[in-house]
Amino acid sequence: MARKPRTIITCAVTGAIHTPTMSDALPYTYDQIAEAAIEAAEAGASILHLHARNPETGAPSVDPEDFKPFLPRIKQATDAVVNISTGGSLTLSIQDRIRPAATFSAEMCSMNMGSMNFSFHPLAKRYTDWKFDWEKDYVAGSDGNIFRNTFRDIEEAAKTLAPHDIKFEHECYDVGHLYNLRFCMDIGLFKAPIFIQFVMGILGGIGADIDNLVFMKKTADKLFGDDYRWSILAAGAAQIPMATTASQMGGNVRVGLEDSLFIQRGVLADSNAQQVHKIRRIVEELGCEVASPEEAREILDLKGGDRTAF
């Protein structure tokens, strides 16, 4: 009997967009992040995409000291691949944003493949009472944000992290980002096999619909041939439908409270693990098997958890 296709599930546990007011399930203390990540791994996530937060206020943080309390706990309790964000702030420099990945020599880290308008300011209109003073201005003011990743920034990140043998998750928010990635490969910054995350439904990027996914996939096929693996994350209500579609196109999937606070339209998720359970059930019922952490390492050609610094 032919082996069923393996689908990697990534869980993005907390992110840097949603704020504590928006969901009581959003983890922001060290204990909450560790527990949420471990539960997501137990539910079937083979990759954990991690940001840090200030445990007192819930504000996003790129300080390695805010990663240190939970990374060892996650590694001790699970075999999941840890993927550390390099996009944890919309205002800080690339040097600041890559410090956590470099400090802990993670197996993977995210890398946005271009500069873009990146906004979530419409969310501010949904809330009148905020848990922390910083939240409203942070959300409402995002209409003035440019997420900066110039070619120089990308090159600096690639060269700084190269000695760590970190696999990049190349986050492509639009078709042009795929061409940016091709250029970066052509000048030797990244080598195959690459891992692309199609990011859909963020205000400022490509919309989350099937036609756009098909076009992104066809463009990646043209540019990279067989030298890439891919996954999708879709924001908000598009999360599960687009992940389901991608899994049937041979792609991998990402869920988590970073990308959507909901388990279905209008219903807040109880946890990251609840979203992982849901997409796992769907993927398996549609004929695929969920990849284990070791299978994910093999598929993505990762260095292994024994070579991290945490």
Side-chain angles (χ1 to χ4, degrees), residues 38 41-42 45-48 73-82 107 292-297 304-306:
I38 293 165
E42 291 171 345
S46 53
I47 299 175
L48 301 170
R73 287 182 58 185
I74 293 168
K75 184 173 182 178
Q76 185 176 29
T78 82
D79 190 34
V81 176
V82 168
E107 287 187 81
S292 68
E294 280 310 306
E295 288 169 332
R297 289 182 171 95
D306 58 332

Side-chain angles (χ1 to χ4, degrees), residues 35 45 47 78 84 94 145 160 164 167 198 215 217 230:
E35 290 164 5
I47 299 175
T78 82
I84 293 180
I94 189 66
N145 287 340
T160 301
H164 295 276
K167 172 70 69 173
F198 298 145
F215 184 56
K217 174 68 166 57
W230 65 281

Side-chain angles (χ1 to χ4, degrees), residues 11-299:
C11 184
V13 172
T14 187
I17 296 175
H18 296 127
T19 70
T21 292
M22 298 176 185
S23 172
D24 291 337
L26 184 74
Y28 64 85
T29 69
Y30 303 144
D31 285 346
Q32 289 170 349
I33 292 172
E35 290 164 5
I38 293 165
E39 289 172 0
E42 291 171 345
S46 53
I47 299 175
L48 301 170
H49 176 69
L50 299 175
H51 291 240
R53 292 190 177 241
N54 179 312
E56 302 299 324
T57 67
S61 171
V62 296
D63 186 344
E65 291 300 311
D66 284 327
F67 284 83
K68 194 176 291 184
F70 60 79
L71 288 179
R73 287 182 58 185
I74 293 168
K75 184 173 182 178
Q76 185 176 29
T78 82
D79 190 34
V81 176
V82 168
N83 173 335
I84 293 180
S85 174
T86 68
S89 169
L90 295 170
T91 58
L92 295 179
S93 69
I94 189 66
Q95 296 92 340
D96 290 323
R97 291 187 277 116
I98 64 175
R99 277 178 61 214
T103 299
F104 299 107
S105 193
E107 287 187 81
M108 297 183 72
C109 71
S110 60
M111 175 57 58
N112 288 15
M113 291 311 299
S115 301
M116 59 178 290
N117 292 341
F118 190 119
S119 188
F120 41 96
H121 67 279
L123 294 176
K125 297 177 181 178
R126 300 184 187 178
Y127 308 94
T128 53
D129 298 318
W130 300 83
K131 291 182 181 178
F132 297 104
D133 291 342
W134 64 272
E135 294 181 73
K136 183 178 181 180
D137 289 344
Y138 175 77
V139 177
S142 65
D143 60 351
N145 287 340
I146 295 175
F147 187 101
R148 174 190 159 125
N149 257 22
T150 64
F151 285 112
R152 184 179 296 175
D153 293 336
I154 293 168
E155 181 172 6
E156 180 166 351
K159 290 183 174 179
T160 301
L161 296 176
H164 295 276
D165 196 19
I166 295 173
K167 172 70 69 173
F168 289 93
E169 173 197 290
H170 298 282
E171 299 207 333
C172 294
Y173 291 73
D174 217 328
V175 178
H177 289 182
L178 295 170
Y179 287 88
N180 292 352
L181 176 54
R182 180 70 262 177
F183 170 79
C184 290
M185 291 184 71
D186 290 343
I187 63 172
L189 293 183
F190 308 114
K191 45 184 189 177
I194 55 171
F195 183 49
I196 300 173
Q197 187 76 258
F198 298 145
V199 185
M200 311 187 79
I202 298 293
L203 184 58
I206 199 166
D209 64 54
I210 292 173
D211 285 346
N212 285 339
L213 174 58
V214 170
F215 184 56
M216 292 279 279
K217 174 68 166 57
K218 288 176 67 174
T219 303
D221 288 343
K222 178 175 67 176
L223 293 175
F224 308 109
D226 294 328
D227 288 339
Y228 81 103
R229 304 292 178 266
W230 65 281
S231 176
I232 186 172
L233 78 85
Q239 181 186 74
I240 297 295
M242 293 299 294
T244 301
T245 301
S247 73
Q248 296 303 291
M249 294 171 59
N252 302 290
V253 300
R254 173 170 138 175
V255 295
L257 297 182
E258 172 173 349
D259 306 329
S260 174
L261 296 174
F262 296 86
I263 191 63
Q264 63 187 59
R265 187 175 290 276
V267 180
L268 288 170
D270 295 331
S271 65
N272 283 278
Q274 187 184 26
Q275 293 181 344
V276 175
H277 278 299
K278 182 170 182 174
I279 194 61
R280 178 175 189 165
R281 176 181 57 78
I282 292 170
V283 165
E284 290 178 339
E285 288 185 0
L286 290 174
C288 296
E289 289 191 9
V290 171
S292 68
E294 280 310 306
E295 288 169 332
R297 289 182 171 95
E298 181 181 353
I299 292 167

